């Protein structure tokens, strides 16, 4: 600490500045340059604002003890005006009051433990050089993309005012009555709009009618509760809608998926499309819960916080199963990284900035929770520039108390445990059901939550303690997700009725309106139904762990949702109306008519260049720069990890997780290909189910014991063409599930992923379906990777190659639009089962599927993973199809020469020996040769 | 009899079960004790023959990695860890546990942000290099295991480094100096150091994640797998002797 004289005058708080260090300055400067600001250099410091008992003696004690770093740059105390060195621009940023701030909270707590009572707030300071010539508009762009997110922070040139959250505020109990009865449709539309309810006109009408019949107007909280409960996010109203097409009405989409699963009667499905997660039990008797969610809108406006709480949210879904989380997945879709920032739509963050924030957000939550992030995908397309997609998935091991969860009984207590409630993330469910525009970032500020993974870690520990026993202390539980307490309490009490008092809810700070407490999406909270006799014990255990825990009311028996704030009634609604009163949505769809005529065009290409271009395409190129930021090893159960080979240099297909104490485990495979969806949504569904199945088969999992998850991210379903694509995709999903004998057990839809530019033009994302396969791995010791294992081994291609280029990456790198999307392969399921048998017999050394870029990319990736060479022949006159077609149902197997007869005997005409593994690191295909170094350089780019 | 071992944790620790499993495999009888369970369970720590401080993000690393863990341990345990060392109890701090030991002053130096500026998870090869350290004594094969940390760049003044080398206290070095072999930019590729008694080892990589064949089966094609179990066996041996 520098010896700065302290004066008692000046600002009412002390300020400690601590340089972040060279690693941070380098990263920021590099990012600024990536955004096109070549001459700019940045230097960053953390700011800690302190007030309260901040006399000199206390500060001289606190700063070295809690803030200064040995061996690092010293923190210094600053009082009065910031001095700005000549030629530098100083920008200070402060976190807004009320936004979750673990550092500030820890600082205050640790200071108190040391005997100093202080309040703390945090911020950052950036010193910028080389920005002298920048126009104000560019400077603002740089600040909003790199230094500060106005959604959660304030900033200024020079000194910023800190946002102390504990500022005393008046406790408020205002309950507003919203006049609704007797309003004409325009009046209802105005209220719908002003309050951002995101309800359909027919739904507003139904609400008004109901209250008219009751003879009263709704309270603010009642209206918000209905809007949250009826949102697409919570009630899947598009998936439950009646849809009219030219070919007549279709069965509601969710029912199609459910009935497909039911008809398959798979013995391993324990629970499908019910509760927070799907549950399966494979042959080893271990029950697994699985769920995947999207957090797209929040990630668009606050990438770190949005992705961070996306992971936190899906983990809570699995905790609520109830299960112990053991693996995470993430599928990310961004705009192109190199986009010129002058071409960005208004109010949209740069794709590179979104990607950096999202990846850091995913990494931060999973790493701190101690759950390995093991599988995923990253796609780039201009269609995702304004609407990035963040799919987060979680698998958990179901706790022993699952069988005893009877549901709430009248008289049970309603407990809220985890984090305290603040003004964060209000209206998330309705926000996610809206279209975004240039002002979304400003008005939706309160819709973004900031997570605190350490709290969730402790919530997980608490739930394991309460529920991983034959006599659980809890009768029912759910997480606080979208809609906060309004959804969670409303859902849990649906069959009984429930009565709660908002005064009893633990708050982060005073000043919240009752409806805000009720709607807040403050993170890391669970709602538990606990028998009265156990309530005290549960609260005590939660508080022992340092968690917030409160008893807010009881389950009744009157089937009403009753919410009060002390003596004041806030909500009084019958469950029947809340959960069944929404008029069924009626929508019209125009089904797509894809071109499926046989492709007669013989393609020619510069083959050596095309393969390198494919390997370097961002969708195919190595994702190691992202993967290595995720802890994929914690829990010690990772067997097949996301990077393959002893140098972790190649891509994996499926990943395998098996606790070291058990012989068996599970595999995760991911299928996603939005480009196919642009041309043929139904065949896209087949293709991505096939990809997920290929992935798990390639890692040694059993394709006959596999469950699927569907996650749809789509545009506005009220546009008939967009909905038609969705209808065709669901049809494809159901057909594929039947074909592969792999039932869907859970799913989620995120619709309205659209952006309205200031000139009124709408941009929708490409139709994006993510399929996750969760498969049984009977013998984890037999699982295999994609990297080549040994020279002399033989390579076998299984499956049939035809000319299929529609939506292919060959088309993408050769700027072609022709061809058809790969067609379903009815022979694939039986073949995958035979391959699984061969893997179990120990006859396959490695396996890699053929996907984006075709066979040439597959072979190159196997070589890169094993740092070994391949010599293969092609006897197909249509070289482009042989190398780059994306026909489904294909895998390349690496086999010892002596096992070839057995392999060919099992796979018959579906298998063909195409070459062998050699020691020299190169790829030799027909008459062409690439060095391993060239392949690796193309695929790994600057990271190699 | 299996020596009783403690896996010491704080809120936010997440590799305690991994550490406990490794200790079981090595022949110890581990139990986890959290700082929140103190002072009630202090006796168990007093009776322990071996202590592992597990990895994770104690207190969210909110004020810098391991800092609050060290302060709270000092508040709740006083000098107990130093006393245990004086009694001959081997102590291993892994990752966040290493950061905590450094913040506590039981080991020299500091652990700064990785040179690349972000969290890094990958398998690395480690060269054991101390015969003083009870944990690495007699290990001659390189150990392979993952790192998973954001603040693991070991730094210390030149005099300290000189002393560590002179006293044979550099327990592990990464296999090579450059990224990614040295994943965080540690000075002299130092991955782990021990105290002057050789009983206290702190290391950033996670040996507890490589104690079975299966954990590395897809990574290693040769016979030299680089298991980390011998490290834990060494600790158990030293515990039995104390």
């Amino acid at each position: 600490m520098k010896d700065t004289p302290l004066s008692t005058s000046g600002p009412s708080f002390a300020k400690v500045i601590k340089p972040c260090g060279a690693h941070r300055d380098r990263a920021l400067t590099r990012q600024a340059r990536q955004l096109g600001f070549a001459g700019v250099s940045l230097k960053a410091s953390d700011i800690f604002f302190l007030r309260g008992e901040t006399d000199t003696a206390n500060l001289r004690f606190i700063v070295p003890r809690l803030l200064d770093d040995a061996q690092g740059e010293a923190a210094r105390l600053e009082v009065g005006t910031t001095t700005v060195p000549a030629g530098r621009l100083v920008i200070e940023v402060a976190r807004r009051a009320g936004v979750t701030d673990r550092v500030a909270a820890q600082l205050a707590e640790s200071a108190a433990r040391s005997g100093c009572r202080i309040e703390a707030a945090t911020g950052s300071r950036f010193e910028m050089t080389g920005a002298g010539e920048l126009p104000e508009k560019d400077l603002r762009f740089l600040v909003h993309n790199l230094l500060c997110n106005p959604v959660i922070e304030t900033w200024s040139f020079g000194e910023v005012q800190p946002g102390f959250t504990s500022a005393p505020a008046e406790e408020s109990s205002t309950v507003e009555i919203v006049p609704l009865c007797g309003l004409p449709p325009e009046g209802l539309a105005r209220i719908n709009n002003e309050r951002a309810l995101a309800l359909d006109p027919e739904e507003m009408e139904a609400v008004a009618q109901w209250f008219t019949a009751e003879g009263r107007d709704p309270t603010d909280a009642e209206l918000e509760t209905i809007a949250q409960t009826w949102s697409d996010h919570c009630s899947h109203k598009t998936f439950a809608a009646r849809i009219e097409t030219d070919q007549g009405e279709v069965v509601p989409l969710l029912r199609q998926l459910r009935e497909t699963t039911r008809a398959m009667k798979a013995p391993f499905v324990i629970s499908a499309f019910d509760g927070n997660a799907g549950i399966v039990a494979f042959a080893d008797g271990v029950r697994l819960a699985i769920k995947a969610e999207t957090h797209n809108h929040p990630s668009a406006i606050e990438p770190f916080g949005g992705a961070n709480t996306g992971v936190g949210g899906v983990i809570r879904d699995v905790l609520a199963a109830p299960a112990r989380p053991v693996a995470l997945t993430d599928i990310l879709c961004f705009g192109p990284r190199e986009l010129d920032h002058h071409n960005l739509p208004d109010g949209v963050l740069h794709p590179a900035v979104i990607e950096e924030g999202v990846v850091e957000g995913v990494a931060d939550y999973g790493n701190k929770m101690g759950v390995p992030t093991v599988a995923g995908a990253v796609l780039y397309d201009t269609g995702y520039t304004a609407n990035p997609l963040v799919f987060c998935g979680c698998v958990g091991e179901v706790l022993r108390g699952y069988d005893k969860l009877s549901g709430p009984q009248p008289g049970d207590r309603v407990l809220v445990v985890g984090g305290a409630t603040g003004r964060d993330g209000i209206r998330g469910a309705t926000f996610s059901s809206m279209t975004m525009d240039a002002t979304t970032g400003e008005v939706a500020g309160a819709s973004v939550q900031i997570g605190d993974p350490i709290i969730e870690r402790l919530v997980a520990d608490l739930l394991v303690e309460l529920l991983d026993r034959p006599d659980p202390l809890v009768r029912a539980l759910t997480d606080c997700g979208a809609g906060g307490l309004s959804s969670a309490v409303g859902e849990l009490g649906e069959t009984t009725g429930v009565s709660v008092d908002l005064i009893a809810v633990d708050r982060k700070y005073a000043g919240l309106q009752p409806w805000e407490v009720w709607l807040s999406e403050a993170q890391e909270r669970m709602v538990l139904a606990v028998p009265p006799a156990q309530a005290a014990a549960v609260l005590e255990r939660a508080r022992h762990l340092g968690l917030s825990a409160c008893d807010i009311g009881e389950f009744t028996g009157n089937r009403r949702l009753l919410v009060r704030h002390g003596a004041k009634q806030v909500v009084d609604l019958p469950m029947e109306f809340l959960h069944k009163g929404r008029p069924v949505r009626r929508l019209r769809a125009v089904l797509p008519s894809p071109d499926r005529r046989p492709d007669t065009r013989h393609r020619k290409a510069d083959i050596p260049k095309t393969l390198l271009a494919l390997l370097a395409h961002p969708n195919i190129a190595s994702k190691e720069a992202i993967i290595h930021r995720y802890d994929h090893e914690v829990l010690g159960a990772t067997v097949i990890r996301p990077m393959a080979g002893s140098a972790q240099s190649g891509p994996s297909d499926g990943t395998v997780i098996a606790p070291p104490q058990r012989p068996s485990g599970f595999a995760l495979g991911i299928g996603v290909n939005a480009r196919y969806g642009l041309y043929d949504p139904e065949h896209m569904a087949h293709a991505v189910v096939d990809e997920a199945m290929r992935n798990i088969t390639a890692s040694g999992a059993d394709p006959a014991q596999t469950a699927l998850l569907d996650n749809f991210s789509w545009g506005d379903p009220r546009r008939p063409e967009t909905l038609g694509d969705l209808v065709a995709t669901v049809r494809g999903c159901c057909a594929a599930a039947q074909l592969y004998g792999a039932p869907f057990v859970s799913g989620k839809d995120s619709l309205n992923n659209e952006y309205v530019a200031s000139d009124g033009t709408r941009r929708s994302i490409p139709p994006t379906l993510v399929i996750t396969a969760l498969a049984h791995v009977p013998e984890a010791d037999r699982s295999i990777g994609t990297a080549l294992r040994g020279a002399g081994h033989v390579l076998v291609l299984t499956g049939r190659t035809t000319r299929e280029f529609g939506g292919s990456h060959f088309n993408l790198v050769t700027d072609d639009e022709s061809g058809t999307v790969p067609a379903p392969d009815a022979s694939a399921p039986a073949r995958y089962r035979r391959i699984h048998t061969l893997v179990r017999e120990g006859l396959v050394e490695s396996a890699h599927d053929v996907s984006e870029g075709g066979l040439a990319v597959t072979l190159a990736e196997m070589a890169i993973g094993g740092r070994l060479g391949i010599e293969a022949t092609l006897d197909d006159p249509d070289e482009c199809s042989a190398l780059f077609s994306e026909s489904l149902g294909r895998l390349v197997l690496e086999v010892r020469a002596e096992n070839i007869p057995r392999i060919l005997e099992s796979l018959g005409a579906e298998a063909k020996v195409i070459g062998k593994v050699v020691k020299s690191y190169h790829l030799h295909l027909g008459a062409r040769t690439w060095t391993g170094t060239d392949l690796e350089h193309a695929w790994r780019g600057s990271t190699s | 009899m299996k020596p009783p071992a403690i896996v010491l944790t704080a809120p936010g620790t997440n590799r305690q079960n991994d550490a406990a499993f490794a200790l079981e495999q090595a022949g110890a009888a581990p139990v986890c004790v959290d700082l929140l369970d103190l002072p009630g369970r202090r006796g168990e720590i007093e009776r322990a023959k071996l202590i592992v401080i597990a990895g994770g993000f104690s207190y969210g690393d909110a004020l810098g990695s391991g800092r609050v863990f060290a302060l709270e341990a000092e508040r709740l345990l006083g000098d107990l860890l130093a006393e245990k060392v004086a009694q001959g109890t081997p102590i291993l701090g892994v990752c966040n546990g290493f950061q905590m030991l450094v913040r506590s002053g039981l080991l020299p130096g500091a652990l700064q942000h990785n040179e690349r500026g972000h969290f890094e998870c990958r398998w690395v090869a480690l060269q054991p290099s101390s015969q003083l350290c009870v944990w690495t004594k007699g290990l001659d094969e390189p150990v392979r295991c993952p790192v998973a940390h954001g603040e693991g760049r070991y730094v210390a003044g030149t005099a300290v480094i000189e002393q560590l080398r002179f006293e044979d206290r550099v327990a592990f070095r990464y296999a090579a100096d450059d990224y990614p072999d040295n994943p965080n930019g540690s000075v002299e590729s130092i991955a782990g150091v021990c105290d002057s008694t050789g009983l206290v080892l702190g290391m950033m990589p996670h040996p507890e994640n490589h104690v079975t064949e299966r954990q590395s089966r897809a990574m290693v094609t040769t016979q030299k797998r680089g298991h980390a179990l011998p490290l834990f066996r060494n600790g158990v041996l030293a515990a039995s002797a104390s």
Side-chain angles (χ1 to χ4, degrees), chain A residues 102 106 308 364-365 367-370 451-461 524 545 547, chain B residues 10-14 56-62:
Chain A
R102 166 157 273 276
Q106 187 67 57
N308 199 242
D364 179 78
Y365 215 100
N367 295 352
K368 288 184 175 164
M369 265 304 281
D452 189 342
I454 299 309
I455 298 292
E456 193 140 306
R457 167 81 259 152
L458 296 169
V459 169
D461 292 345
E524 290 94 25
L545 292 171
L547 295 171
Chain B
T13 300
N14 60 32
F57 287 85
S58 53
Y59 303 93
D61 281 352

Short mmCIF file of all heavy atoms in Angstrom, two decimals, chain A residues 102 106 308 364-365 367-370 451-461 524 545 547, chain B residues 10-14 56-62:
data_model
loop_
_atom_site.label_atom_id
_atom_site.label_comp_id
_atom_site.label_asym_id
_atom_site.label_seq_id
_atom_site.Cartn_x
_atom_site.Cartn_y
_atom_site.Cartn_z
N ARG A 102 -20.51 -10.59 -5.49
CA ARG A 102 -19.92 -11.46 -4.48
C ARG A 102 -18.67 -10.85 -3.87
O ARG A 102 -18.41 -11.00 -2.68
CB ARG A 102 -19.58 -12.83 -5.08
CG ARG A 102 -18.68 -13.67 -4.21
CD ARG A 102 -18.77 -15.14 -4.47
NE ARG A 102 -19.84 -15.74 -3.70
CZ ARG A 102 -19.70 -16.14 -2.44
NH1 ARG A 102 -18.56 -15.98 -1.80
NH2 ARG A 102 -20.70 -16.70 -1.81
N GLN A 106 -18.19 -10.28 0.03
CA GLN A 106 -17.13 -11.00 0.75
C GLN A 106 -16.21 -10.02 1.47
O GLN A 106 -15.77 -10.26 2.59
CB GLN A 106 -16.32 -11.85 -0.24
CG GLN A 106 -15.29 -12.76 0.43
CD GLN A 106 -15.95 -13.84 1.27
OE1 GLN A 106 -16.75 -14.62 0.77
NE2 GLN A 106 -15.63 -13.89 2.55
N ASN A 308 -23.91 -17.31 -17.77
CA ASN A 308 -23.63 -17.75 -16.41
C ASN A 308 -24.89 -18.28 -15.74
O ASN A 308 -24.93 -19.39 -15.21
CB ASN A 308 -23.09 -16.52 -15.67
CG ASN A 308 -22.33 -16.83 -14.40
OD1 ASN A 308 -22.74 -16.42 -13.33
ND2 ASN A 308 -21.24 -17.55 -14.50
N ASP A 364 -17.21 -19.93 -15.92
CA ASP A 364 -17.23 -19.48 -14.53
C ASP A 364 -18.20 -20.30 -13.69
O ASP A 364 -17.87 -20.73 -12.59
CB ASP A 364 -17.63 -17.99 -14.50
CG ASP A 364 -17.70 -17.44 -13.09
OD1 ASP A 364 -16.62 -17.15 -12.55
OD2 ASP A 364 -18.81 -17.33 -12.53
N TYR A 365 -19.41 -20.53 -14.23
CA TYR A 365 -20.41 -21.22 -13.40
C TYR A 365 -20.06 -22.69 -13.23
O TYR A 365 -20.03 -23.22 -12.12
CB TYR A 365 -21.82 -21.06 -13.99
CG TYR A 365 -22.86 -20.97 -12.91
CD1 TYR A 365 -23.37 -19.73 -12.53
CD2 TYR A 365 -23.30 -22.10 -12.23
CE1 TYR A 365 -24.30 -19.62 -11.51
CE2 TYR A 365 -24.24 -22.00 -11.21
CZ TYR A 365 -24.73 -20.76 -10.85
OH TYR A 365 -25.65 -20.66 -9.83
N ASN A 367 -17.19 -24.29 -13.71
CA ASN A 367 -15.92 -24.51 -13.01
C ASN A 367 -16.09 -24.31 -11.51
O ASN A 367 -15.57 -25.08 -10.71
CB ASN A 367 -14.84 -23.55 -13.53
CG ASN A 367 -14.48 -23.82 -14.99
OD1 ASN A 367 -14.93 -24.80 -15.58
ND2 ASN A 367 -13.69 -22.93 -15.58
N LYS A 368 -16.82 -23.26 -11.13
CA LYS A 368 -16.97 -22.99 -9.70
C LYS A 368 -17.93 -23.96 -9.03
O LYS A 368 -17.75 -24.30 -7.87
CB LYS A 368 -17.42 -21.54 -9.48
CG LYS A 368 -16.29 -20.56 -9.77
CD LYS A 368 -16.66 -19.13 -9.48
CE LYS A 368 -15.42 -18.24 -9.68
NZ LYS A 368 -15.79 -16.83 -9.78
N MET A 369 -18.95 -24.42 -9.77
CA MET A 369 -19.85 -25.44 -9.21
C MET A 369 -19.11 -26.75 -9.01
O MET A 369 -19.52 -27.60 -8.23
CB MET A 369 -21.00 -25.71 -10.19
CG MET A 369 -22.29 -24.96 -9.97
SD MET A 369 -23.01 -25.18 -8.34
CE MET A 369 -23.79 -26.79 -8.46
N GLY A 370 -18.05 -26.97 -9.79
CA GLY A 370 -17.37 -28.25 -9.71
C GLY A 370 -18.12 -29.33 -10.46
O GLY A 370 -18.15 -30.49 -10.04
N GLY A 451 -25.14 -14.41 -11.58
CA GLY A 451 -25.16 -15.61 -10.75
C GLY A 451 -24.12 -15.60 -9.65
O GLY A 451 -23.22 -14.76 -9.63
N ASP A 452 -24.26 -16.52 -8.73
CA ASP A 452 -23.26 -16.73 -7.69
C ASP A 452 -23.11 -18.24 -7.50
O ASP A 452 -23.79 -18.85 -6.69
CB ASP A 452 -23.70 -16.05 -6.39
CG ASP A 452 -22.59 -16.06 -5.36
OD1 ASP A 452 -21.64 -16.87 -5.51
OD2 ASP A 452 -22.66 -15.30 -4.39
N PRO A 453 -22.22 -18.85 -8.31
CA PRO A 453 -22.15 -20.31 -8.33
C PRO A 453 -21.79 -20.94 -6.99
O PRO A 453 -22.15 -22.09 -6.74
CB PRO A 453 -21.05 -20.60 -9.37
CG PRO A 453 -20.37 -19.32 -9.65
CD PRO A 453 -21.32 -18.23 -9.30
N ILE A 454 -21.12 -20.19 -6.12
CA ILE A 454 -20.75 -20.79 -4.83
C ILE A 454 -22.01 -21.03 -4.00
O ILE A 454 -22.13 -22.04 -3.30
CB ILE A 454 -19.74 -19.88 -4.09
CG1 ILE A 454 -18.47 -19.74 -4.93
CG2 ILE A 454 -19.42 -20.45 -2.72
CD1 ILE A 454 -17.86 -21.03 -5.42
N ILE A 455 -22.97 -20.11 -4.11
CA ILE A 455 -24.24 -20.32 -3.40
C ILE A 455 -24.92 -21.58 -3.94
O ILE A 455 -25.42 -22.41 -3.19
CB ILE A 455 -25.18 -19.09 -3.59
CG1 ILE A 455 -24.55 -17.83 -3.00
CG2 ILE A 455 -26.55 -19.36 -2.97
CD1 ILE A 455 -24.45 -17.84 -1.50
N GLU A 456 -24.89 -21.75 -5.27
CA GLU A 456 -25.56 -22.92 -5.84
C GLU A 456 -24.84 -24.21 -5.44
O GLU A 456 -25.47 -25.25 -5.24
CB GLU A 456 -25.64 -22.80 -7.36
CG GLU A 456 -26.58 -23.82 -7.98
CD GLU A 456 -27.41 -23.25 -9.10
OE1 GLU A 456 -28.08 -22.24 -8.88
OE2 GLU A 456 -27.38 -23.81 -10.21
N ARG A 457 -23.52 -24.14 -5.36
CA ARG A 457 -22.73 -25.29 -4.87
C ARG A 457 -23.26 -25.72 -3.50
O ARG A 457 -23.45 -26.89 -3.21
CB ARG A 457 -21.26 -24.84 -4.82
CG ARG A 457 -20.27 -25.68 -4.09
CD ARG A 457 -19.80 -26.85 -4.92
NE ARG A 457 -20.49 -28.02 -4.49
CZ ARG A 457 -20.76 -29.08 -5.24
NH1 ARG A 457 -20.40 -29.10 -6.50
NH2 ARG A 457 -21.39 -30.10 -4.76
N LEU A 458 -23.50 -24.73 -2.63
CA LEU A 458 -23.98 -25.02 -1.27
C LEU A 458 -25.43 -25.49 -1.29
O LEU A 458 -25.81 -26.36 -0.50
CB LEU A 458 -23.82 -23.77 -0.38
CG LEU A 458 -22.36 -23.34 -0.19
CD1 LEU A 458 -22.28 -21.96 0.45
CD2 LEU A 458 -21.60 -24.37 0.65
N VAL A 459 -26.24 -24.93 -2.21
CA VAL A 459 -27.62 -25.41 -2.35
C VAL A 459 -27.60 -26.89 -2.75
O VAL A 459 -28.35 -27.71 -2.21
CB VAL A 459 -28.40 -24.57 -3.40
CG1 VAL A 459 -29.72 -25.23 -3.74
CG2 VAL A 459 -28.63 -23.15 -2.88
N ALA A 460 -26.70 -27.24 -3.67
CA ALA A 460 -26.59 -28.63 -4.10
C ALA A 460 -26.21 -29.52 -2.91
O ALA A 460 -26.80 -30.59 -2.70
CB ALA A 460 -25.56 -28.76 -5.22
N ASP A 461 -25.25 -29.07 -2.11
CA ASP A 461 -24.84 -29.84 -0.94
C ASP A 461 -26.02 -30.03 0.02
O ASP A 461 -26.23 -31.12 0.56
CB ASP A 461 -23.68 -29.14 -0.19
CG ASP A 461 -22.39 -29.14 -1.01
OD1 ASP A 461 -22.31 -29.92 -1.99
OD2 ASP A 461 -21.48 -28.37 -0.68
N GLU A 524 -30.17 -18.84 -7.75
CA GLU A 524 -29.76 -19.80 -6.71
C GLU A 524 -30.80 -19.98 -5.61
O GLU A 524 -30.49 -20.08 -4.44
CB GLU A 524 -28.41 -19.36 -6.10
CG GLU A 524 -27.25 -19.52 -7.06
CD GLU A 524 -26.91 -18.24 -7.83
OE1 GLU A 524 -27.23 -17.16 -7.34
OE2 GLU A 524 -26.34 -18.35 -8.94
N LEU A 545 -25.07 -23.79 6.45
CA LEU A 545 -24.21 -23.69 5.27
C LEU A 545 -24.03 -22.24 4.81
O LEU A 545 -23.36 -21.98 3.81
CB LEU A 545 -24.81 -24.51 4.12
CG LEU A 545 -24.80 -26.03 4.31
CD1 LEU A 545 -25.60 -26.72 3.21
CD2 LEU A 545 -23.37 -26.56 4.34
N LEU A 547 -26.56 -20.29 3.89
CA LEU A 547 -27.56 -19.94 2.89
C LEU A 547 -28.69 -19.14 3.52
O LEU A 547 -28.96 -19.26 4.71
CB LEU A 547 -28.15 -21.22 2.27
CG LEU A 547 -27.17 -22.06 1.46
CD1 LEU A 547 -27.80 -23.39 1.09
CD2 LEU A 547 -26.72 -21.30 0.21
N ALA B 10 -13.61 -25.76 2.42
CA ALA B 10 -14.30 -24.53 2.80
C ALA B 10 -15.47 -24.38 1.82
O ALA B 10 -15.48 -25.05 0.78
CB ALA B 10 -13.36 -23.34 2.69
N PRO B 11 -16.45 -23.53 2.13
CA PRO B 11 -17.56 -23.38 1.18
C PRO B 11 -17.02 -23.01 -0.22
O PRO B 11 -16.29 -22.02 -0.35
CB PRO B 11 -18.38 -22.23 1.78
CG PRO B 11 -18.06 -22.27 3.24
CD PRO B 11 -16.64 -22.72 3.34
N GLY B 12 -17.34 -23.80 -1.22
CA GLY B 12 -16.85 -23.56 -2.57
C GLY B 12 -15.78 -24.54 -3.00
O GLY B 12 -15.43 -24.61 -4.18
N THR B 13 -15.24 -25.32 -2.06
CA THR B 13 -14.33 -26.40 -2.43
C THR B 13 -15.12 -27.40 -3.26
O THR B 13 -16.29 -27.67 -2.96
CB THR B 13 -13.79 -27.10 -1.17
OG1 THR B 13 -13.10 -26.13 -0.39
CG2 THR B 13 -12.82 -28.23 -1.53
N ASN B 14 -14.53 -27.97 -4.34
CA ASN B 14 -15.32 -28.91 -5.12
C ASN B 14 -14.62 -30.22 -5.50
O ASN B 14 -15.23 -31.09 -6.11
CB ASN B 14 -15.90 -28.22 -6.37
CG ASN B 14 -14.82 -27.67 -7.28
OD1 ASN B 14 -13.73 -28.22 -7.38
ND2 ASN B 14 -15.13 -26.58 -7.96
N GLY B 56 -10.79 -26.26 -5.61
CA GLY B 56 -12.11 -25.70 -5.85
C GLY B 56 -12.02 -24.19 -5.85
O GLY B 56 -10.99 -23.62 -6.20
N PHE B 57 -13.12 -23.56 -5.48
CA PHE B 57 -13.16 -22.10 -5.44
C PHE B 57 -13.68 -21.68 -4.08
O PHE B 57 -14.82 -21.21 -3.96
CB PHE B 57 -14.07 -21.56 -6.55
CG PHE B 57 -13.48 -21.67 -7.92
CD1 PHE B 57 -13.61 -22.85 -8.65
CD2 PHE B 57 -12.80 -20.61 -8.49
CE1 PHE B 57 -13.06 -22.95 -9.92
CE2 PHE B 57 -12.24 -20.71 -9.75
CZ PHE B 57 -12.38 -21.88 -10.47
N SER B 58 -12.88 -21.87 -3.05
CA SER B 58 -13.33 -21.52 -1.70
C SER B 58 -13.76 -20.06 -1.66
O SER B 58 -13.05 -19.18 -2.16
CB SER B 58 -12.19 -21.76 -0.71
OG SER B 58 -11.02 -21.08 -1.11
N TYR B 59 -14.93 -19.81 -1.12
CA TYR B 59 -15.51 -18.47 -1.00
C TYR B 59 -15.54 -17.77 -2.35
O TYR B 59 -15.46 -16.55 -2.45
CB TYR B 59 -14.74 -17.63 0.04
CG TYR B 59 -14.71 -18.29 1.40
CD1 TYR B 59 -13.65 -19.12 1.77
CD2 TYR B 59 -15.77 -18.14 2.29
CE1 TYR B 59 -13.63 -19.76 3.00
CE2 TYR B 59 -15.76 -18.77 3.52
CZ TYR B 59 -14.70 -19.58 3.87
OH TYR B 59 -14.70 -20.22 5.09
N GLY B 60 -15.61 -18.55 -3.42
CA GLY B 60 -15.66 -17.98 -4.77
C GLY B 60 -14.34 -17.31 -5.17
O GLY B 60 -14.29 -16.63 -6.19
N ASP B 61 -13.28 -17.49 -4.40
CA ASP B 61 -12.02 -16.79 -4.66
C ASP B 61 -12.25 -15.29 -4.79
O ASP B 61 -11.54 -14.59 -5.54
CB ASP B 61 -11.32 -17.33 -5.92
CG ASP B 61 -10.57 -18.65 -5.66
OD1 ASP B 61 -10.48 -19.04 -4.47
OD2 ASP B 61 -10.09 -19.24 -6.62
N ALA B 62 -13.25 -14.81 -4.05
CA ALA B 62 -13.73 -13.43 -4.28
C ALA B 62 -12.64 -12.38 -4.06
O ALA B 62 -12.60 -11.39 -4.76
CB ALA B 62 -14.94 -13.15 -3.40
#
